[in-house]
């Protein structure tokens, strides 16, 4: 397994290929969320995050495609706290498999 993935490489793990795991990145940490395929796979409530860096969207609790990015600029302290909570939940539930290349 690669220890670092580019954003383009990460996109290949969006759940559309059932033979590959599903990855979601948060603040550059790539999590294998395959155990949550029902949520992150095609048609799932959070499929929009699959194969992407989702930090901004999680911080804002947004499902707007424009928010699915790693850009944390302009987020409030409250939103950054929400993101920290999400990151803790992911770390408790899913393995980190790589880092997202800057």
């Amino acid at each position: 397994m690669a220890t670092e993935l580019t954003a383009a490489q990460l996109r290949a793990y969006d759940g559309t290929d059932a033979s590959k795991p599903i990855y979601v990145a948060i603040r550059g940490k790539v999590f294998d969320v395959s155990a949550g395929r029902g949520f992150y796979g095609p048609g799932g409530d959070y499929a929009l995050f699959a194969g992407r860096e989702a930090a901004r969207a999680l911080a804002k609790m947004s499902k707007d495609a424009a928010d699915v990015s790693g850009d944390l600029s302009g987020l409030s302290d409250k939103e950054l706290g929400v993101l920290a909570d999400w990151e803790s939940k992911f770390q408790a539930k899913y393995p980190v498999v790589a880092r997202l290349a800057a």
Side-chain angles (χ1 to χ4, degrees), residues 22-47:
I22 301 173
Y23 293 165
V24 172
I26 301 174
R27 286 206 263 208
K29 290 182 191 135
V30 180
F31 294 88
D32 182 342
V33 299
S34 300
R37 189 171 289 276
F39 295 106
Y40 299 100
D45 286 344
Y46 302 107

Side-chain angles (χ1 to χ4, degrees), residues 26-27 53-61 69-89:
I26 301 174
R27 286 206 263 208
E53 165 61 75
R56 185 175 191 82
L58 291 170
K60 295 172 69 73
M61 296 183 70
S69 78
D71 179 9
L72 304 181
S73 63
L75 293 179
S76 69
D77 287 343
K78 181 178 178 182
E79 288 167 331
L80 291 171
V82 168
L83 175 58
D85 288 345
W86 274 112
E87 193 170 7
S88 292
K89 287 175 187 167

